[in-house]
Amino acid sequence: MARCTPLHAVHVAAGARMVDFAGWDMPVNYGSQIEEHHAVRSDAGMFDVSHMLALDLTGADATPFLRTLLANDVAKLTVPGKALYSCMLNAEGGVIDDLIVYYFAPDKFRIVVNAGTADKDVARMRKQIARTGANVSLDAHRDLAMIAVQGPNARAKTWHAIPGSESASAGLKPFFAAQVGDMLIARTGYTGEDGFEITLPAAQAPALWNALSAAGVAPCGLGARDTLRLEAGMNLYGQDMDEATSPLNAGLSWTVDMKDIDRNFIGRAALETSPASQKVIGLVLLERGVLRAHQTVFTDAGEGETTSGTFSPTLQQAIAFARVPLELAEGSTVEVDIRGKRLRARTVKLPFVRNGQALI
Amino acid sequence: MNIPAELKYTKSHEWIRREDDGTVTVGITDHAQEALGDIVFLDLPDAGRVVAAGEECAVVESVKAASDIYAPVAGEIVAANDAALDAPESVNADAYANWLFKLKPANAADVDALLDAAAYAEIAADD
């Protein structure tokens, strides 16, 4: 039996097409995925992301614990409310999950992990706490809901929907969060647009969803979430990287912080002995067709493989992420095996789209 | 669910209409287009291609997935819908008006053996 978020009944009542996602019964669209995509690029859309898990890590050893647990360095978080994107690696340097960690105080952090990996992540963190004897406590919050409001008008419409929220959140810079009453309002997202991710008590979620809808924010499903993040050049765990993938081969080197040579985070030794062997680039198909995951890419420098692909509603062309040999020159033309036919594609720098603008 | 009574159907969600000239017109059902979501690409067979019953002969791709389309009966492709090729979203708008290809069956009786609307409705309801 699939799990339901606090907004499940709202989605069903709205006529959403529901699908299983990582064991959760989630909306894939409310009619047209493409219209939802455009709503986020041009105005404002909202996503139920309550299937993701929020964890609170508190205690005297919270900072040193996270500096060992995560490949990015929480020591660079010094201003309360600041968020950091990081991978959690295994000892072999593979990606157990990618997550966001919010800093409130040296002994107080909020971590948000993926739905499909939540149980494994929590088990891993608890094991690490037990192994190190760190003075921390980890609290998983299944009593919370999360709504992502994204798009150029997302913040203004959120302020309209939540009386009193503007004064507390108008000054937030990207990748900062503020507590507003019962809500944590973060200026983060997974679409390449401005907006907020709002965490709040589960019981309050339907009322906020309806208020946002009344303020003109379009309900959007996982379908649009996937095309938006792909255009924005953002990885999806389980598709673009997993436990067998080094972050250095998944386009995530920028999230691995090696600066402090004394910080022996889990997976560091493995990354130091196995430098990147591939790089991630964008592909734009030059012929008719649609790029998908796991298609073979033929290049002058050797073969590669797509990890995610779709039809881009903004560019009106097929796009993909591909892992290719390091030597492949930027701007090369390559061939992709699509259902037995070799079609030409151009390599581009990621992202494809940012803040409503095509970048390729 | 929109399942016109006068058409024939397959388990793989194609609809088939018998034409006066002995050919059949083939498309995907309304149920299929809804399940696929926004359709963005069609790959249709060339006229003159001879196909076996159940042979993959077209592809319908939505934003989220690619779906193979099978020849409902053996025969020869006589036409592909070029208008749908240029506007794949038209299949979402009206899956019965916007057909994919026309086929001349090798054996007209094969068409009789396809599912009727009631039988297809049961399959679609279980989907």
Side-chain angles (χ1 to χ4, degrees):
Chain A
M1 190 64 197
R3 303 169 79 177
C4 296
T5 74
L7 290 163
H8 186 267
V10 178
H11 304 318
V12 172
R17 186 172 184 84
M18 307 297 288
V19 295
D20 180 89
F21 180 82
W24 293 78
D25 195 40
M26 298 297 289
V28 65
N29 65 60
Y30 299 80
S32 167
Q33 168 176 347
I34 289 181
E35 282 171 23
E36 292 164 20
H37 180 109
H38 291 316
V40 171
R41 286 276 177 256
S42 64
D43 184 8
M46 59 181 163
F47 304 84
D48 177 10
V49 290
S50 308
H51 55 314
M52 297 201 301
L53 179 62
L55 300 152
D56 282 335
L57 185 82
T58 53
D61 293 335
T63 295
F65 177 76
L66 288 176
R67 292 192 79 206
T68 303
L69 185 75
L70 303 179
N72 211 337
D73 191 353
V74 297
K76 60 181 100 160
L77 302 174
T78 54
V79 181
K82 178 80 170 120
L84 183 74
Y85 173 78
S86 181
C87 289
M88 179 164 68
L89 306 178
N90 57 31
E92 294 73 42
V95 183
I96 292 170
D97 199 6
D98 64 336
L99 52 82
I100 301 270
V101 55
Y102 295 92
Y103 167 88
F104 298 111
D107 60 353
K108 190 166 188 251
F109 294 84
R110 160 72 57 85
I111 305 167
V112 180
V113 302
N114 283 303
T117 48
D119 293 344
K120 144 184 118 164
D121 293 348
V122 171
R124 179 128 194 139
M125 290 177 194
R126 292 209 189 287
K127 202 168 146 192
Q128 182 66 10
I129 292 168
R131 184 186 297 153
T132 58
N135 179 13
V136 292
S137 107
L138 183 70
D139 300 305
H141 283 290
R142 273 296 170 210
D143 53 341
L144 298 175
M146 282 182 256
I147 299 173
V149 192
Q150 301 278 292
N153 300 326
R155 292 193 306 146
K157 290 190 170 181
T158 301
W159 294 328
H160 189 76
I162 312 174
S165 63
E166 180 169 1
S167 57
S169 63
L172 284 176
K173 294 194 180 99
F175 250 65
F176 274 89
Q179 195 73 39
V180 181
D182 284 345
M183 300 183 187
L184 181 70
I185 300 185
R187 197 169 173 193
T188 52
Y190 192 49
T191 61
E193 299 296 327
D194 199 354
F196 289 136
E197 290 179 303
I198 303 167
T199 308
L200 73 170
Q204 297 175 21
L208 175 58
W209 186 270
N210 292 332
L212 287 163
S213 181
V217 179
C220 298
L222 293 178
R225 189 166 165 81
D226 192 51
T227 49
L228 287 159
R229 69 95 192 167
L230 248 160
E231 288 185 348
M234 295 171 175
N235 281 10
L236 173 62
Y237 188 80
Q239 188 149 334
D240 301 305
M241 73 289 202
D242 56 24
E243 290 191 24
T245 316
S246 160
L248 307 181
N249 288 337
L252 296 173
S253 302
W254 61 278
T255 72
V256 179
D257 192 331
M258 301 275 203
K259 280 196 276 300
D260 180 352
I261 51 166
D262 295 325
R263 189 175 74 95
N264 188 24
F265 63 84
I266 298 167
R268 178 171 192 146
L271 297 187
E272 282 174 342
T273 54
S274 331
S277 58
Q278 288 175 303
K279 65 178 178 182
V280 175
I281 48 121
L283 292 180
V284 178
L285 191 64
L286 298 173
E287 302 181 57
R288 295 179 63 252
V290 184
L291 294 163
R292 305 284 182 192
H294 309 302
Q295 293 170 335
T296 304
V297 181
F298 300 93
T299 83
D300 293 340
E303 287 186 15
E305 189 184 346
T306 57
T307 55
S308 284
T310 193
F311 179 83
S312 157
T314 302
L315 303 174
Q316 292 289 305
Q317 278 175 297
I319 58 171
F321 300 160
R323 259 184 234 144
V324 296
L326 288 173
E327 300 75 28
L328 183 66
E330 212 170 279
S332 305
T333 297
V334 301
E335 287 187 336
V336 186
D337 183 331
I338 301 182
R339 309 171 70 88
K341 285 183 203 163
R342 282 201 191 189
L343 302 184
R344 287 179 310 118
R346 181 164 62 94
T347 69
V348 299
K349 230 176 121 179
L350 295 170
F352 300 98
V353 178
R354 191 51 57 98
N355 294 324
Q357 300 301 309
L359 301 180
I360 57 138
Chain B
M1 218 177 295
N2 179 8
I3 303 175
E6 68 277 17
L7 302 178
K8 297 293 253 181
Y9 298 89
T10 65
K11 278 188 289 193
S12 49
H13 309 288
E14 290 91 4
W15 58 260
I16 299 95
R17 187 174 64 224
R18 273 181 279 231
E19 307 296 350
D20 294 340
D21 62 2
T23 65
V24 295
T25 302
V26 180
I28 63 166
T29 65
D30 188 53
H31 173 70
Q33 71 77 20
E34 202 197 313
L36 276 167
D38 294 300
I39 295 170
V40 293
F41 174 73
L42 301 175
D43 192 9
L44 301 179
D46 294 328
R49 177 171 157 191
V50 176
V51 292
E55 182 176 329
E56 285 173 19
C57 64
V59 180
V60 176
E61 296 210 36
S62 70
V63 182
K64 69 178 188 219
S67 182
D68 288 315
I69 306 302
Y70 305 96
V73 294
E76 181 182 338
I77 305 291
V78 293
N81 187 357
D82 291 338
L85 217 51
D86 292 335
E89 67 280 5
S90 66
V91 178
N92 288 123
D94 188 341
Y96 297 109
N98 296 291
W99 51 281
L100 300 181
F101 56 87
K102 290 179 187 286
L103 177 147
K104 181 155 184 55
N107 178 2
D110 290 348
V111 180
D112 298 332
L114 297 171
L115 302 173
D116 62 16
Y120 177 67
E122 280 183 33
I123 287 169
D126 288 345
D127 207 19

